[in-house]
Amino acid sequence: MTMTLPSLMPPEAVREQLWNEQQLAQPVTAPCFRLWRYREPAVVLGCSQRRLLAQAGGQVQVLLRQSGGGAVLAGPWMLGLSVALPAGHPLARQGLVASYRWLGEAIAQALRQGGVDAQALAPEALRAMQPAQRMAVDWACFGGLSPWEVLARGRKIAGLAQVRRASGVLLVGGVLLQPSPWRLMCDALGRGGADARTLAATTVSAAELAAHFDGQACARRLGLALQAALEQEACPM
């Protein structure tokens, strides 16, 4: 009889949060990034949502991240990303909102190259929206819109968040490659089915918009775009 031993490698969502913490634990000396794919589902709460940990239940792991924003449902349906920048890097010095622009545009470009008509949401376009369009589910990252996040056919396909410290800036994001099982997150946090239905109606995945969408190819394109952007904006000495 063959015995299967449990894996000693922590789930990808845990490794992602550990990597993010390590980047800002000391001064960031050079820009770097990681892309994340998840074998298992996990709910990742924003840094201000610690109170929701007490409401967590079920079989889905619930984690707390350093960056702001709402809860995220990570899993095989999502591509995650983390970018660490030195505090003096040109892309970090642009300010809280403007520093998202290059990242949102890079994600949108990678999606368009895969056949998804995606656009980063400019601040003026966001201001022109009705309040109900900007915030449908206030506790979930994908339930609201912020400048330079990515839309496809008017529905959110990629969310962004960040944390700023004296040691550097960490930008994080999630891209929906496949339809997300929102009910899984709502059940884990004791939320109702109405929120899950709203999230399903206001978000969209790449696979729903482009036939035979290749998530691996999208990840490669996004990695190349991030690398090019970071190499173009050299950190001043």
Side-chain angles (χ1 to χ4, degrees):
M1 182 177 67
T2 302
M3 178 181 293
T4 302
L5 297 177
S7 173
L8 298 180
M9 181 70 72
E12 192 78 350
V14 175
R15 289 193 285 143
E16 175 187 13
Q17 299 312 311
L18 291 173
W19 190 89
N20 290 346
E21 291 174 8
Q22 290 168 359
Q23 302 317 301
L24 299 185
Q26 54 191 354
V28 181
T29 58
C32 57
F33 72 90
R34 287 283 301 270
L35 298 178
W36 309 97
R37 295 303 307 270
Y38 314 90
R39 294 187 184 89
E40 305 169 14
V43 176
V44 185
L45 302 175
C47 61
S48 64
Q49 295 184 306
R50 188 177 297 274
R51 69 189 188 283
L52 294 181
L53 286 173
Q55 304 172 24
Q59 303 301 312
V60 181
Q61 186 171 26
V62 180
L63 308 171
L64 191 70
R65 66 178 184 269
Q66 295 186 67
S67 60
V72 174
L73 179 61
W77 46 85
M78 194 177 86
L79 171 65
L81 61 95
S82 303
V83 183
L85 299 171
H89 194 279
L91 293 175
R93 296 202 315 266
Q94 295 178 10
L96 187 65
V97 173
S99 60
Y100 281 130
R101 180 172 183 169
W102 72 277
L103 186 54
E105 291 180 342
I107 293 171
Q109 177 184 347
L111 288 168
R112 287 196 300 271
Q113 290 171 341
V116 177
D117 184 14
Q119 301 291 332
L121 181 62
E124 56 270 22
L126 177 61
R127 287 193 293 270
M129 290 181 172
Q130 297 296 320
Q133 293 176 284
R134 297 196 295 265
M135 184 60 69
V137 180
D138 60 5
W139 57 269
C141 170
F142 279 86
L145 295 173
S146 295
W148 304 117
E149 292 187 315
V150 183
L151 302 183
R153 296 189 184 177
R155 297 161 70 183
K156 187 167 179 175
I157 195 170
L160 303 172
Q162 66 178 283
V163 57
R164 289 175 170 262
R165 293 183 182 170
S167 57
V169 174
L170 179 73
L171 302 172
V172 298
V175 185
L176 297 181
L177 303 180
Q178 300 285 337
S180 179
W182 296 115
R183 187 60 186 260
L184 196 63
M185 179 172 70
C186 292
D187 287 349
L189 297 178
R191 301 288 167 159
D195 281 354
R197 291 189 291 273
T198 299
L199 286 166
T202 56
T203 63
V204 71
S205 69
E208 293 172 88
L209 299 179
H212 312 296
F213 184 82
D214 189 335
Q216 288 297 104
C218 180
R220 289 193 294 270
R221 290 192 300 270
L222 181 55
L224 291 173
L226 296 180
Q227 186 67 45
L230 295 177
E231 289 177 351
Q232 181 178 357
E233 298 285 356
C235 185
M237 297 299 292

